[in-house]
Amino acid sequence: QVQLVESGGGLVQAGGSLRLSCAASGRTFSSYTMSWFRQAPGKEREIVAAISRNIITTYYADSVKGRFTISRDNAKNTVWLQMNSLKPEDTAVYYCAAVRTWSSSGYRREPNEYDYWGQGTQVTVSS
């Protein structure tokens, strides 16, 4: 069982930066693939970025490539999402998600593949 708590959301002007954090409970954090998803009003939840257990493999949605960076520290049970050059279309509730995987270098991209979710943190980018 993993409990996830996000923090770091807020209101920022276009072009600004935010850093989201997700703290996980439990002693087996390194067994979990971690991801960030987002959901804007009236839209489906979509993946933003994912990172493998061994930190070697990452995935980014095309819409955030070059602007966002996902990272994790398995010793601190924490995953981050550094968001730079934010745009109004990045406005959404951002969720941290975890799934236990056997592959140390793989990742998952679909919401229904994840077993654990945080409560979400609002990110609002004004124009």
Side-chain angles (χ1 to χ4, degrees):
Q1 190 88 10
V2 175
Q3 291 184 327
L4 305 173
V5 179
E6 303 103 332
S7 61
L11 173 64
V12 64
Q13 288 188 332
S17 297
L18 283 173
R19 189 189 196 204
L20 305 183
S21 298
C22 173
S25 65
R27 296 176 292 176
T28 59
F29 180 71
S30 60
S31 299
Y32 292 84
T33 293
M34 302 298 297
S35 291
W36 287 95
F37 287 79
R38 68 185 180 188
Q39 188 165 18
K43 294 188 176 182
E44 293 187 352
R45 191 169 297 191
E46 63 176 1
I47 191 166
V48 175
I51 187 165
S52 64
R53 290 171 47 195
N54 61 8
I55 312 178
I56 292 176
T57 306
T58 56
Y59 166 84
Y60 295 95
D62 288 343
S63 58
V64 307
K65 278 182 183 176
R67 300 188 298 122
F68 291 11
T69 302
I70 189 171
S71 60
R72 67 188 290 171
D73 186 331
N74 288 339
K76 295 181 179 180
N77 284 16
T78 304
V79 61
W80 297 274
L81 184 68
Q82 178 66 43
M83 305 186 295
N84 298 329
S85 303
L86 282 161
K87 304 176 181 180
E89 51 264 42
D90 294 318
T91 295
V93 177
Y94 283 70
Y95 297 91
C96 176
V99 60
R100 190 171 185 131
T101 54
W102 293 112
S103 171
S104 61
S105 60
Y107 56 81
R108 310 281 178 87
R109 292 190 289 180
E110 298 299 325
N112 60 11
E113 296 181 290
Y114 285 80
D115 297 320
Y116 303 100
W117 293 86
Q119 81 286 354
T121 185
Q122 177 70 46
V123 172
T124 303
V125 185
S126 63
S127 57

